[in-house]
Amino acid sequence: MHPGHTVPVDLNPAQREAVLYLNGPCLVLAGAGSGKTRVITQKMAYLLRECGYPGNRIVALTFTNKAAREMSERLRRLVDARMARGITISTFHSLGLRLLREEAGHAGLKKSFSIFDANDALALIQELLVTTDKARLKAVQQTISLWKNALMGPDAAEQAAASPSDIEAAKVYRSYDATLRAYQAVDFDDLIRLPAMLLEGNTEVRQRWQGRVLYLLVDEYQDTNVCQYRIVQALTGSRAMFTAVGDDDQAIYAWRGATVENLAKLTVDYPAIQVIKLEQNYRSVQSILTAANRVIGKNPNLFPKTLWSDLGQGEAIQVAALDNEQVEAESVAFRISAARFERKAQWRDFAVLYRSNQQARSMEQALRDLRIPYTIAGGQSFFDKPEIRDVLSYLRLVANDDDDPAFIRAATTPRRGIGQSTLQALGEFAAGHHLSLFAAVFEIGATGRLAQRQLEPLLAFARFIQRLQQRAGRDVTVSQPVQGSLLSVDHETQSGQAVFTDRPVPDQVDDSAPRILDDLLNAIQYERHLYDLYDEKPAEVRWQNVLELISWLKRKATEDGLSLLDLVQHVSLVTMLERNEDDDPDAVRLSTLHASKGLEYPHVYLIGVEEGLLPHMGRDEDLDPEAPDGALIQRIQEERRLMYVGITRARYSLHVSWCKRRRKAREDQIRERSRFIEEMGFPAEGISDAPGTPGITPSERLGMLKTLLKKGA
């Protein structure tokens, strides 16, 4: 031991045991709010300070960038920066990307392979499926994702497919997989699947990476899928020096391939594993934990735990039955306003949690009516809107013509006669010659691999991009120069597809960013593309979003003196900042239960706790009458874990509400309170209509609020 470096004495006995145990594999069952992040960071500090482990031989894996940043920050406060140098604290996907970049040759990839995000992947699936049915597209994408997470390739998927929808998905999967390989691209799931396959199938790669991992720590182990479990096994090998931290009661991601059985599997695959339970909760008062324990106790627990707290009994949980979702939203908004005044709290101290995103609409309206600031977790970013991504793909390509996903999106939106077979042939040629798709356009013509009708639109598009690059100040050699012309799009073709043609331009061309942006929009005729694709109203909304983007870009260029290339970099930065999960404005937080996991709030309002909504039974088409009863039981158990997650987000007060009627398809449907309310310990006869404000109208509530505010003035 180094002088002055000891394990903190304020760890409780179970936490201390988890930190100190180093005699083999260790499973830490960490109940909600029991200090799991503390255990992981203290164990890393212990390995570095007391055990002499070099930083570059310790790896900690989690599921979100936010969790990884929090671990890094905590570790920084515990050990000297030099001691922690080289330590890996990252998401599974980040580690997978690093491994693939380093071992690209072994994976059959070029080092500069492209990564398709969910939107890029969905666009490719749409091209293969030839449909605009979003539900169908998402279902196929989800099925392919589940197969990949289970380490199933196209052959295995084809054999496993039984239902018509799965058979269709398996056919798409085969073409999708072949197209990605032709593009030298991977999708999000491949960042886990391919490393798992590589580590298992390549002895040289496996031994190299095992040599780098002296000790492995894994957070949120209950959220791992088959691929991630196999990566853990491959990285730790026969030494099995790892600590897995998880909670079977918070396993809520089965729909994306996570399997809670991975926790139980650890005890089978590693019979000597040390199992340690963390049951003391440092977040919530006992009244909240008692309700949580009662609910989760109805599930068959793999590892039974009982959360307890020394923070006192706390306030009683409030349960309210309201007439409909509008009344529910108004009641919650009013109670938050009153509670903020009475408790002298901040808006950020309050969260409204719900099962489905659709429930946010009435809640937003009620909060706006009372002028209550709010933020929505998981809402779509402006920069994630398809029309914004379409336009930005051109700018990304102008700035970096090695950006293959940007090339594919820009080349096919609007449609201009560049089809899937053309792109696949181009992708295979590019991969074989270690070229980007853009560079391959100018090389493939001499090979005769594309017919002239396929080659011409590709060349016209590529020259158009080169012209924009020239005007933006990039040092490029334009293939078959087009001096004296601006390439634009002629939509007047019999096929209805866009084709680039030369347009004469004045001798002096304005090469400022605002002018180039205007010329770009005019050239691709994106407005017309939207109105061809959508009905008038949605097309108008999307076009206004594009105009808002262009207006903002032009304003930034003018105010800050930015070139077009500077603007592209600025957009990348803004996009990252907008997705910064650390942003914490003083506002009420609206969030789905799934998005709330890992977070905590002093006061929580859990709305829509009704049968059919929580527990959610899925869409009608999801309910397979032939499905065994076990499938329904598993769904209820996962929904119960989701309820448990919702309850345990609250620190001091919890308010639960449900509606007697709810509007669906323009009809009022009678609702029943969720079974989970009774499981919490609230029998039907004990429920009031609205605690504290029975039978009052919204206007009366508003009047009461104004009176409260006057008293506080």
Side-chain angles (χ1 to χ4, degrees):
M1 293 251 182
H2 297 289
H5 291 309
T6 57
V7 178
V9 292
D10 55 348
L11 289 174
N12 67 41
Q15 290 174 332
R16 185 179 179 84
E17 183 186 0
V19 168
L20 297 179
Y21 187 80
L22 285 175
N23 292 333
C26 178
L27 172 59
V28 181
L29 296 161
S34 63
K36 68 179 179 63
T37 306
R38 189 153 186 253
V39 164
I40 292 172
T41 51
Q42 290 286 359
K43 189 154 194 170
M44 284 192 282
Y46 177 65
L47 290 168
L48 290 165
R49 292 185 314 213
E50 274 64 70
C51 304
Y53 276 61
N56 62 3
R57 303 283 298 281
I58 298 173
V59 176
L61 297 175
T62 186
F63 282 84
T64 66
N65 290 322
K66 181 182 178 183
R69 284 196 302 271
E70 184 183 348
M71 281 185 199
S72 296
E73 287 161 8
R74 288 203 196 185
L75 184 64
R76 207 174 295 128
R77 294 195 291 266
L78 293 173
V79 299
D80 184 270
R82 287 170 299 178
M83 188 177 285
R85 186 175 294 137
I87 198 166
T88 297
I89 302 175
S90 77
T91 63
F92 272 96
H93 290 89
S94 295
L95 183 72
L97 174 59
R98 180 176 144 199
L99 188 149
L100 280 183
R101 289 282 187 219
E102 288 190 31
E103 310 291 353
H106 291 288
L109 293 165
K110 61 181 182 182
K111 281 194 181 293
S112 58
F113 63 82
S114 298
I115 302 168
F116 275 38
D117 65 17
N119 292 299
D120 295 324
L122 194 64
L124 177 53
I125 289 170
Q126 182 171 11
E127 188 76 34
L128 295 168
L129 205 53
V130 196
T131 182
T132 56
D133 183 339
K134 287 221 172 130
R136 190 172 156 211
L137 288 167
K138 288 277 190 186
V140 168
Q141 185 178 36
Q142 172 76 357
T143 303
I144 292 173
S145 176
L146 289 173
W147 280 331
K148 286 193 172 192
N149 288 331
L151 273 180
M152 293 171 65
D155 290 340
E158 223 163 55
Q159 290 175 358
S163 68
S165 59
D166 279 0
I167 291 169
E168 177 184 60
K171 286 180 182 173
V172 174
Y173 183 16
R174 185 171 295 284
S175 300
Y176 174 75
D177 189 57
T179 305
L180 280 181
R181 276 189 279 111
Y183 290 167
Q184 282 287 289
V186 300
D187 64 15
F188 202 57
D189 295 314
D190 286 332
L191 295 178
I192 303 296
R193 181 179 73 109
L194 295 179
M197 292 169 61
L198 201 53
L199 287 168
E200 288 189 347
N202 189 306
T203 304
E204 178 191 339
V205 171
R206 182 171 62 255
Q207 289 178 347
R208 179 160 48 247
W209 283 80
Q210 281 181 357
R212 297 181 183 184
V213 183
L214 204 54
Y215 202 91
L216 180 69
L217 302 103
V218 186
D219 188 20
E220 303 285 11
Y221 200 80
Q222 77 281 348
D223 294 339
T224 56
N225 57 39
V226 171
C227 284
Q228 287 156 336
Y229 183 40
R230 300 270 272 272
I231 285 175
V232 168
Q233 288 182 302
L235 287 176
T236 55
S238 57
R239 289 180 63 254
M241 291 295 285
F242 66 84
T243 293
V245 182
D247 182 7
D248 51 314
D249 293 335
Q250 296 187 73
I252 59 173
Y253 293 118
W255 52 274
R256 70 180 190 197
T259 170
V260 68
E261 285 76 23
N262 275 352
L263 282 168
K265 203 168 184 310
L266 277 176
T267 62
V268 175
D269 292 341
Y270 302 93
I273 196 167
Q274 179 80 351
V275 179
I276 301 167
K277 295 182 185 179
L278 305 184
E279 296 176 289
Q280 182 175 358
N281 176 285
Y282 293 91
R283 175 189 300 158
S284 308
V285 293
Q286 190 59 47
S287 60
I288 290 167
L289 297 182
T290 299
N293 287 331
R294 284 172 174 164
V295 169
I296 206 64
K298 299 293 183 183
N299 268 3
N301 297 106
L302 288 170
F303 306 97
K305 297 182 296 300
T306 302
L307 294 182
W308 61 275
S309 166
D310 60 8
L311 299 176
Q313 179 61 22
E315 300 175 20
I317 295 171
Q318 299 292 310
V319 181
L322 287 308
D323 286 339
N324 55 50
E325 63 263 45
Q326 183 182 345
V327 174
E328 179 184 46
E330 290 169 348
S331 172
V332 169
F334 170 77
R335 282 189 277 163
I336 288 174
S337 294
R340 177 176 174 265
F341 170 73
E342 290 166 356
R343 298 177 187 273
K344 297 183 173 56
Q346 295 179 295
W347 293 121
R348 65 164 61 89
D349 293 336
F350 300 89
V352 182
L353 307 182
Y354 39 82
R355 178 63 178 83
S356 168
N357 271 312
Q358 294 166 332
Q359 293 170 260
R361 292 175 189 166
S362 52
M363 201 64 242
E364 284 189 80
Q365 184 62 53
L367 292 171
R368 281 198 298 265
D369 287 347
L370 290 182
R371 297 180 181 173
I372 297 173
Y374 65 90
T375 60
I376 301 183
Q380 188 184 38
S381 158
F382 178 76
F383 291 98
D384 278 338
K385 294 180 185 297
E387 60 274 16
I388 301 304
R389 290 168 57 81
D390 286 344
V391 174
L392 288 180
S393 67
Y394 284 87
L395 300 183
R396 284 166 50 195
L397 195 57
V398 168
N400 173 21
D401 47 45
D402 284 338
D403 189 336
D404 286 347
F407 176 92
I408 293 163
R409 192 176 191 108
T412 57
T413 312
R415 297 182 68 83
R416 54 177 63 86
I418 300 173
Q420 197 59 45
S421 60
T422 301
L423 284 173
Q424 192 160 342
L426 181 68
E428 288 168 355
F429 176 81
H433 292 76
H434 305 288
L435 298 168
S436 68
L437 293 174
F438 185 85
V441 170
F442 301 106
E443 304 288 338
I444 197 171
T447 67
R449 294 178 67 165
L450 290 177
Q452 196 63 24
R453 62 179 174 77
Q454 292 175 295
L455 185 60
E456 282 178 0
L458 277 175
L459 284 169
F461 171 71
R463 291 174 191 145
F464 170 66
I465 295 299
Q466 284 187 323
R467 175 65 176 166
L468 288 174
Q469 289 175 327
Q470 259 192 339
R471 293 182 62 193
R474 278 196 59 188
D475 185 18
V476 293
T477 303
V478 177
S479 175
Q480 299 182 23
V482 288
Q483 286 87 358
S485 68
L486 254 182
L487 290 167
S488 64
V489 179
D490 180 1
H491 275 260
E492 307 304 321
T493 61
Q494 290 183 348
S495 68
Q497 292 179 325
V499 177
F500 283 110
T501 56
D502 286 358
R503 302 280 195 200
V505 294
D507 291 337
Q508 295 297 318
V509 178
D510 180 358
D511 286 336
S512 66
R515 182 62 194 178
I516 298 174
L517 289 166
D518 284 338
D519 287 345
L520 169 63
L521 273 194
N522 289 332
I524 65 174
Q525 293 195 20
Y526 192 77
E527 182 180 15
R528 178 166 180 170
H529 161 73
L530 289 173
Y531 279 91
D532 286 346
L533 202 59
Y534 302 103
D535 292 335
E536 185 172 354
K537 188 63 181 173
E540 183 183 347
V541 169
R542 284 168 169 78
W543 179 240
Q544 288 304 315
N545 286 336
V546 170
L547 292 180
E548 183 183 334
L549 170 73
I550 296 298
S551 174
W552 175 72
L553 288 171
K554 288 160 73 172
R555 190 168 64 250
K556 289 302 296 179
T558 303
E559 289 174 359
D560 299 345
L562 300 178
S563 69
L564 190 70
L565 302 181
D566 293 332
L567 269 180
V568 177
Q569 290 183 331
H570 183 72
V571 169
S572 299
L573 179 61
V574 168
T575 305
M576 285 188 286
L577 289 175
E578 187 179 274
R579 293 172 182 155
N580 188 344
E581 296 157 297
D582 287 339
D583 190 26
D584 185 27
D586 186 21
V588 174
R589 182 81 158 181
L590 303 186
S591 173
T592 62
L593 287 164
H594 281 101
S596 74
K597 186 164 169 286
L599 303 175
E600 59 182 66
Y601 306 93
H603 312 289
V604 168
Y605 292 77
L606 187 47
I607 65 174
V609 187
E610 303 150 24
E611 286 294 305
L613 195 51
L614 185 62
H616 195 275
M617 297 304 180
R619 300 168 301 176
D620 292 341
E621 58 265 36
D622 289 340
L623 298 176
D624 182 358
E626 302 298 319
D629 289 344
L632 182 59
I633 291 170
Q634 285 184 354
R635 174 178 280 178
I636 296 296
Q637 289 173 358
E638 173 138 341
E639 292 291 306
R640 186 174 283 117
R641 293 194 291 269
L642 199 54
M643 180 72 179
Y644 172 83
V645 165
I647 294 170
T648 54
R649 297 313 93 196
R651 297 176 64 191
Y652 306 124
S653 75
L654 176 64
H655 307 259
V656 177
S657 58
W658 64 282
C659 298
K660 299 173 184 176
R661 287 183 297 276
R662 190 171 288 274
R663 197 97 173 142
K664 187 176 182 183
R666 299 184 181 179
E667 288 184 4
D668 280 339
Q669 297 187 345
I670 302 299
R671 311 294 289 186
E672 293 181 13
R673 72 189 191 124
S674 170
R675 68 193 75 188
F676 299 150
I677 292 177
E678 185 159 354
E679 290 175 5
M680 288 171 67
F682 293 89
E685 60 273 15
I687 306 297
S688 69
D689 270 359
T693 56
I696 63 172
T697 66
S699 60
E700 287 172 327
R701 286 193 198 99
L702 192 54
M704 289 171 63
L705 177 61
K706 287 176 179 174
T707 303
L708 275 172
L709 295 175
K710 282 178 185 173
K711 285 180 182 176

